[in-house]
Amino acid sequence: VNPASAQPGAHSDWLTLNVGGRLFTTTRSTLVSKEPESVLAHMFRDKCVWGSQQDKHGAYLLDRSPEYFEPILNYLRHGQLIVNEGVNIRGVQEEARFFGIEQLGEQLEVALKNTQPPDDHSPVS
Amino acid sequence: VNPASAQPGAHSDWLTLNVGGRLFTTTRSTLVSKEPESVLAHMFRDKCVWGSQQDKHGAYLLDRSPEYFEPILNYLRHGQLIVNEGVNIRGVQEEARFFGIEQLGEQLEVALKNTQPPDDHSPVS
Amino acid sequence: VNPASAQPGAHSDWLTLNVGGRLFTTTRSTLVSKEPESVLAHMFRDKCVWGSQQDKHGAYLLDRSPEYFEPILNYLRHGQLIVNEGVNIRGVQEEARFFGIEQLGEQLEVALKNTQPPDDHSPVS
Amino acid sequence: VNPASAQPGAHSDWLTLNVGGRLFTTTRSTLVSKEPESVLAHMFRDKCVWGSQQDKHGAYLLDRSPEYFEPILNYLRHGQLIVNEGVNIRGVQEEARFFGIEQLGEQLEVALKNTQPPDDHSPVS
Amino acid sequence: VNPASAQPGAHSDWLTLNVGGRLFTTTRSTLVSKEPESVLAHMFRDKCVWGSQQDKHGAYLLDRSPEYFEPILNYLRHGQLIVNEGVNIRGVQEEARFFGIEQLGEQLEVALKNTQPPDDHSPVS
């Protein structure tokens, strides 16, 4: 338990992402701190670079899948990769690659192998 | 059946939480009464401490996963831990830890063991 | 087929429920007619009693789980208990108890037994 | 592929349905053309009859389950009955009966038999 | 990783689709570039042709299933066909046919065969 991170002052920079039409509310520090070298962190570290891509309500626009982005965002919040049964790991991989979250790559590889039978070569799992 | 808890006057303090972008409507008494020593109860017991972290519609902002928060909130409403098939117990554990709902810890441990085969060591279930 | 119940005039009293943050649109007659002795029917039979607990858009506030309330509302609409695979029957039981829909109790008991293996004693299914 | 049906002019009559609180956007021709003798087609053929049952945003109110209505609407769009795994066929049957989509009856019977083991007599699948 | 495609300037043309009532935010270049000969690309290449079919918030109206459209849009974003467990492949096929995404046809055929047992002739999987 780390109550401090939920106290006022700890998050000074709330923002909303519009990922493919679904809204995610989070903080700039979540996007920037956990994986500081990721593409996502670079996007949100410098307000000037990214600030122009907002919808009319001020949410930052990302042309990606909201469903597969969700576990990425949770990972940035608490450092755990947690994916529901039935959610395609390959979708999460695509988002991790796009946003340059390299630390998730190996975990996702392992998870993918565990969910596919060894003789399954189908393009869709 | 406890109809009293749904009668007017029983809940004098409705509020809305914005958990990672999804809205949950509940009452302050639900958040505060069931587990009075939790971090969540502390957050909402003292209006002054928490009141400044609201979105523009007045919902209280929490930078957490809405999907895994949902069973936590239901537990606070009626005292039962109920998780749907396919929802990753580990996600609920992360939220219980974050919000300091210690009473759920043991139940979640048991539930996690029941959903995983004994020889499964994958980081993602 | 009972087309009459969808014709204008049959439902004179549309209302929206805000159940834990999700909106359900229905009619007062659906809530009141099917199970007239339930707690839910009592709540909505007398406008004066319940009318004060509304959100700013006029939806009636209920501090309960929307997911598990949904099959209860469908039951009141057409008299059938229908629950999707993967939805925890115990969650529906909690809502049926809370709203005093006693007629559903036995059906839910049977449904719960059918979804659990006989030697499963886990608190979460 | 029938691109014509998506061209401007082909759909002159967009409308939104508020089914139990969820919004579905479609066209009057979809509701009326595929099954012209259904109750649903009758509802929307004559604007005068149905027009009075709208919410404040102009969506037509239907006191039914949105989840089980969805495959009905898709069927009216393209003529195929397609139901996701985990969605209870009996729920779709209730909606097909209510809206008088008789052509779906036999297909749903077959689908229901295929999803239930022969010795399952539970009221909830 | 191709961070360039998420940089400002790369997407100059954000738009929102209202697919059967659910909103998807994407860019015109996503709809037009990946499969330039598709019906969907033709719809959105020429603003004059399609521009008249918008809802009151400016979202482009498509009278189709949002659930089955989602993997089509993701495919246009990153070139991979990714479908969750439990989502009916036949629904995705209907959308691919409607929008004339012919490149997906063979992949979907393979995926469909892999999810159906060889002796299953039911109209609904």
Side-chain angles (χ1 to χ4, degrees):
Chain A
V1 182
N2 181 6
S5 63
Q7 296 302 320
H11 293 325
S12 55
D13 214 350
W14 288 93
L15 52 79
T16 297
L17 307 176
N18 178 335
V19 182
R22 204 201 292 175
L23 301 179
F24 294 87
T25 300
T26 185
T27 60
R28 197 177 297 267
S29 71
T30 291
L31 300 177
V32 165
S33 307
K34 173 74 188 168
E35 301 293 349
E37 297 311 311
S38 70
V39 174
L40 188 66
H42 280 285
M43 283 177 184
F44 287 92
R45 190 169 295 124
D46 183 358
K47 284 187 180 187
C48 304
V49 173
W50 187 249
S52 59
Q53 303 280 344
Q54 289 174 268
D55 69 15
K56 61 188 172 185
H57 302 290
Y60 292 90
L61 286 155
L62 293 169
D63 185 15
R64 304 296 302 179
S65 155
E67 178 165 26
Y68 301 123
F69 176 72
E70 198 164 21
I72 306 272
L73 180 56
N74 286 338
Y75 167 76
L76 296 175
R77 283 168 171 150
H78 51 51
Q80 303 297 315
L81 172 63
I82 296 176
V83 181
N84 277 358
E85 198 187 310
V87 172
N88 197 322
I89 299 284
R90 289 176 54 236
V92 185
Q93 279 185 319
E94 284 294 322
E95 301 312 302
R97 271 190 214 117
F98 181 81
F99 289 113
I101 315 283
E102 296 179 6
Q103 290 77 355
L104 276 177
E106 200 183 333
Q107 287 186 59
L108 285 164
E109 277 299 325
V110 173
L112 187 59
K113 276 176 197 152
N114 286 342
T115 59
Q116 284 189 326
D119 53 330
D120 180 0
H121 300 99
S122 86
V124 177
S125 72
Chain B
V1 182
N2 181 7
S5 63
Q7 296 302 319
H11 291 325
S12 56
D13 215 350
W14 288 94
L15 52 79
T16 297
L17 307 177
N18 177 336
V19 182
R22 204 200 292 174
L23 301 179
F24 294 86
T25 300
T26 185
T27 61
R28 196 177 298 266
S29 70
T30 291
L31 300 177
V32 165
S33 308
K34 173 74 188 167
E35 301 294 349
E37 297 310 312
S38 70
V39 175
L40 188 66
H42 280 284
M43 282 178 185
F44 286 93
R45 190 170 295 126
D46 182 358
K47 284 188 180 186
C48 304
V49 172
W50 187 249
S52 59
Q53 302 280 345
Q54 289 174 268
D55 69 15
K56 62 186 172 186
H57 303 290
Y60 292 89
L61 286 155
L62 293 169
D63 185 16
R64 305 295 303 178
S65 156
E67 178 165 26
Y68 301 123
F69 175 72
E70 197 164 22
I72 306 272
L73 180 56
N74 285 337
Y75 167 77
L76 295 175
R77 284 167 171 149
H78 52 51
Q80 302 297 314
L81 172 64
I82 297 176
V83 181
N84 278 357
E85 198 187 310
V87 171
N88 197 322
I89 300 284
R90 289 176 54 237
V92 185
Q93 279 185 319
E94 284 295 322
E95 301 311 304
R97 270 190 215 117
F98 181 82
F99 289 114
I101 316 283
E102 296 179 5
Q103 290 78 355
L104 276 177
E106 200 183 332
Q107 288 186 59
L108 285 164
E109 277 299 324
V110 173
L112 187 59
K113 276 177 197 151
N114 286 341
T115 58
Q116 283 189 326
D119 51 330
D120 179 0
H121 299 98
S122 87
V124 176
S125 70
Chain C
V1 182
N2 181 8
S5 64
Q7 295 301 320
H11 292 325
S12 56
D13 216 349
W14 287 95
L15 51 79
T16 297
L17 307 176
N18 178 336
V19 183
R22 204 200 293 175
L23 302 178
F24 294 88
T25 300
T26 185
T27 61
R28 196 176 297 266
S29 70
T30 290
L31 300 177
V32 165
S33 309
K34 172 74 188 167
E35 302 292 350
E37 298 310 312
S38 69
V39 174
L40 189 66
H42 281 284
M43 282 179 186
F44 286 93
R45 190 170 295 126
D46 183 357
K47 283 188 179 185
C48 303
V49 173
W50 187 249
S52 60
Q53 301 280 345
Q54 290 174 268
D55 69 15
K56 62 185 171 186
H57 303 290
Y60 292 91
L61 285 157
L62 294 168
D63 186 15
R64 303 297 302 179
S65 155
E67 178 164 26
Y68 301 124
F69 176 73
E70 197 163 22
I72 306 272
L73 180 57
N74 285 338
Y75 167 77
L76 296 174
R77 283 167 171 151
H78 52 50
Q80 303 296 314
L81 172 64
I82 297 175
V83 181
N84 278 356
E85 199 187 309
V87 171
N88 196 322
I89 300 284
R90 288 176 53 237
V92 185
Q93 279 185 319
E94 284 295 321
E95 301 312 303
R97 270 190 215 118
F98 180 82
F99 289 115
I101 316 282
E102 297 179 5
Q103 291 77 357
L104 275 177
E106 200 183 333
Q107 288 186 59
L108 285 164
E109 277 298 326
V110 173
L112 187 59
K113 277 177 197 151
N114 286 341
T115 59
Q116 282 189 326
D119 52 329
D120 180 1
H121 299 98
S122 87
V124 176
S125 68
Chain D
V1 182
N2 181 7
S5 63
Q7 296 301 319
H11 292 326
S12 55
D13 216 350
W14 288 95
L15 52 78
T16 297
L17 307 176
N18 177 336
V19 183
R22 202 200 295 174
L23 302 179
F24 294 87
T25 300
T26 185
T27 61
R28 197 177 295 267
S29 70
T30 290
L31 300 177
V32 165
S33 307
K34 172 76 187 166
E35 302 293 350
E37 297 310 311
S38 69
V39 174
L40 188 66
H42 280 285
M43 282 177 185
F44 286 93
R45 191 170 295 125
D46 182 358
K47 284 187 179 186
C48 304
V49 173
W50 187 249
S52 59
Q53 301 279 346
Q54 291 175 267
D55 69 14
K56 62 186 172 186
H57 302 291
Y60 292 90
L61 286 156
L62 293 169
D63 185 15
R64 305 296 303 178
S65 155
E67 178 165 26
Y68 300 124
F69 176 72
E70 197 163 22
I72 307 272
L73 180 57
N74 285 338
Y75 167 76
L76 296 175
R77 283 167 171 150
H78 52 49
Q80 303 295 316
L81 172 64
I82 297 174
V83 181
N84 278 357
E85 199 187 309
V87 172
N88 196 323
I89 300 285
R90 288 176 54 236
V92 185
Q93 278 185 320
E94 284 295 322
E95 301 311 303
R97 270 190 215 117
F98 180 82
F99 289 114
I101 315 281
E102 297 178 5
Q103 291 77 356
L104 275 178
E106 199 183 334
Q107 288 186 59
L108 285 165
E109 278 297 327
V110 173
L112 187 58
K113 276 176 197 151
N114 286 342
T115 58
Q116 283 189 325
D119 53 330
D120 179 0
H121 299 99
S122 87
V124 176
S125 69
Chain E
V1 181
N2 182 7
S5 63
Q7 295 302 320
H11 292 325
S12 55
D13 214 350
W14 288 94
L15 52 79
T16 297
L17 307 176
N18 178 335
V19 182
R22 203 200 295 174
L23 302 179
F24 293 88
T25 301
T26 185
T27 60
R28 197 177 296 268
S29 70
T30 291
L31 300 177
V32 165
S33 306
K34 173 74 187 168
E35 301 293 350
E37 297 310 312
S38 70
V39 175
L40 188 66
H42 280 285
M43 283 177 184
F44 286 93
R45 191 170 294 124
D46 183 358
K47 284 187 179 185
C48 305
V49 172
W50 186 249
S52 59
Q53 302 280 345
Q54 289 174 268
D55 69 15
K56 62 187 172 184
H57 302 290
Y60 292 90
L61 285 155
L62 293 169
D63 186 14
R64 305 296 302 178
S65 155
E67 179 166 24
Y68 300 124
F69 176 72
E70 197 164 20
I72 307 272
L73 179 57
N74 285 339
Y75 167 76
L76 296 175
R77 283 168 172 149
H78 52 50
Q80 303 296 315
L81 172 64
I82 297 175
V83 181
N84 277 358
E85 199 187 309
V87 172
N88 196 321
I89 300 284
R90 289 176 52 236
V92 185
Q93 278 185 320
E94 284 295 323
E95 302 311 302
R97 273 191 213 116
F98 180 82
F99 289 114
I101 315 283
E102 297 179 5
Q103 290 77 356
L104 275 177
E106 200 183 333
Q107 288 187 59
L108 285 164
E109 277 299 325
V110 172
L112 187 58
K113 276 177 198 152
N114 286 342
T115 59
Q116 284 189 327
D119 53 330
D120 179 1
H121 299 99
S122 86
V124 177
S125 69

